[in-house]
Amino acid sequence: MTRYDRRDLGLLLLRLGTGGVLAAHGAQKLFGWFGGHGIEGTGQFMESIGYVPGKASATAAGLAETGGGTLLALGLATPAAGAAAAGAMAGAAAVHTPNGFFNQEGGYEYAATLALTAAGLAVTGPGRLSLDHALGHAVNRSWMIPAAFAATAAGTVLVVGARARRLRKGKEGEQDPLFEEEYLE
């Protein structure tokens, strides 16, 4: 097995693993599969964490994860697929950031890992064992990488920024307690 064969096999494994996880995660949101709550339940949850309107947010996140994940797994339109998946995971990471880094504490570790892997695949490309390669890279051109990341970054900044403003506005007028309850006993 040559070095190029190993690289292509490694990219295939990364694409299948990351894309499969993302697609399943999105299918929970869109269809309620794999123990998910579908658009209605996910929409209610999204609204509760500041992504308003909830149903539209659930649909956008579900499409980015399912579509981006499926396309990554297939190695098709890899720059757009990886950027879309990374953007969706950046939105998830924003929710988990107050809990710190590690997933066991509810942190953003998992979302960041998926985002960075998807972004890495978008930049690196799908390898020769992909639909992009089979189709002559018609939807995997070099200029598509910065274009996909620029569009995704703009959308992500707008959505996550709007959520942050809503959360700040919701806390206006609230005052933190002067003393922690444990000291009052």
Side-chain angles (χ1 to χ4, degrees):
M1 184 178 281
T2 70
R3 179 175 59 133
Y4 295 108
D5 293 334
R6 288 191 350 247
R7 181 187 63 101
D8 292 325
L9 184 57
L11 287 170
L12 173 65
L13 293 172
L14 278 171
R15 287 193 350 260
L16 289 174
T18 304
V21 167
L22 286 162
H25 207 63
Q28 289 180 307
K29 290 175 178 65
L30 292 177
F31 312 117
W33 296 352
F34 313 115
H37 299 286
I39 292 293
E40 289 297 323
T42 304
Q44 290 171 5
F45 172 72
M46 295 290 246
E47 196 125 345
S48 77
I49 59 173
Y51 286 117
V52 178
K55 207 169 180 179
S57 298
T59 302
L63 288 172
E65 291 170 7
T66 304
T70 300
L71 291 173
L72 272 178
L74 295 171
L76 181 62
T78 305
M89 290 297 100
V95 172
H96 295 282
T97 297
N99 301 323
F101 177 71
F102 291 104
N103 192 51
Q104 68 199 32
E105 301 295 326
Y108 63 93
E109 170 187 21
Y110 181 64
T113 300
L114 288 173
L116 289 169
T117 305
L121 287 166
V123 171
T124 303
R128 292 182 297 171
L129 303 174
S130 66
L131 287 179
D132 275 339
H133 181 75
L135 298 172
H137 297 280
V139 287
N140 181 29
R141 305 279 186 211
S142 294
W143 64 266
M144 293 175 179
I145 297 166
F149 278 106
T152 298
T156 302
V157 165
L158 288 173
V159 170
V160 172
R163 175 186 177 265
R165 285 188 297 282
R166 268 191 293 284
L167 293 177
R168 274 194 306 276
K169 188 174 182 178
K171 289 188 178 211
E172 284 179 4
E174 288 182 18
Q175 183 175 348
D176 291 333
L178 294 175
F179 301 99
E180 297 293 326
E181 284 186 36
E182 66 187 63
Y183 295 112
L184 295 176
E185 295 177 350

